[in-house]
Amino acid sequence: MIQIKKISQSTIPDEVLNFALAEMQKIFSGEIIFVAQDGYLMQIEINSRRRVSDWEEKISAWSADLISSVEKQICLEFAKLLYGRLVIKLQKGRITQIERTVQQRFTGLDGEGI
C-alpha cells in the first residue's frame, strides 16, 4: 500500500529539505529548484554541471552555521510562493544567488487559467 504524506502549504517537508541541503553540498556548479503549485511543494529539480577547467577543484565542507542559515533562507523564500519556482544557484560549491520566480494564475478567463 502506498502511503501518501500530507504536505503543508508554504512549507518544505523536513526530509525533502534535508535531502536538498545534502545534495547542494555535493554540487560544484549547478542549481536546485523547488517548484510550488497552489502553495504546495510539487517537486525539486537538481542540475549539476562540472566544467573541465575546474575538474580537479574540491568542494569545501559547509559549516553548521551556513547550513542553518541556508535552510532558514530557503524556507522563508519558499513560504512566499503560491505558484512558481525557487532556484538556488551554486558555483564552486557555494551558493551564489537565490531566485524566486512567481507565476500568477488568473481564473474566469477563457480556458480557466494561464
Side-chain angles (χ1 to χ4, degrees):
M1 181 172 154
I2 297 174
Q3 192 172 15
I4 298 174
K5 180 176 170 51
K6 176 73 174 154
I7 298 175
S8 300
Q9 192 173 25
S10 301
T11 62
I12 300 172
D14 289 341
E15 61 270 18
V16 174
L17 185 57
N18 290 335
F19 171 78
L21 288 166
E23 291 300 307
M24 277 183 225
Q25 294 174 64
K26 298 176 191 174
I27 295 175
F28 190 79
S29 181
E31 56 195 21
I32 294 201
I33 304 164
F34 297 88
V35 180
Q37 184 175 2
D38 212 16
Y40 293 94
L41 178 65
M42 290 282 106
Q43 68 186 31
I44 64 170
E45 302 169 15
I46 302 169
N47 300 310
S48 182
R49 296 178 288 281
R50 195 70 187 236
R51 293 180 183 221
V52 176
S53 61
D54 297 329
W55 202 260
E56 296 298 320
E57 288 193 46
K58 304 288 184 217
I59 300 173
S60 59
W62 290 17
S63 69
D65 288 341
L66 177 61
I67 293 169
S68 177
S69 175
V70 168
E71 180 178 3
K72 287 176 188 170
Q73 191 66 36
I74 289 170
C75 290
L76 178 70
E77 294 298 328
F78 186 80
K80 298 174 186 176
L81 278 178
L82 193 55
Y83 293 94
R85 300 163 29 114
L86 182 66
V87 181
I88 292 77
K89 295 192 174 205
L90 298 109
Q91 289 183 337
K92 296 193 176 189
R94 293 285 178 219
I95 295 175
T96 57
Q97 75 184 49
I98 296 177
E99 297 175 357
R100 189 170 21 93
T101 304
V102 177
Q103 297 172 332
Q104 298 293 323
R105 297 283 178 176
F106 298 97
T107 58
L109 303 172
D110 290 338
E112 286 297 314
I114 297 175

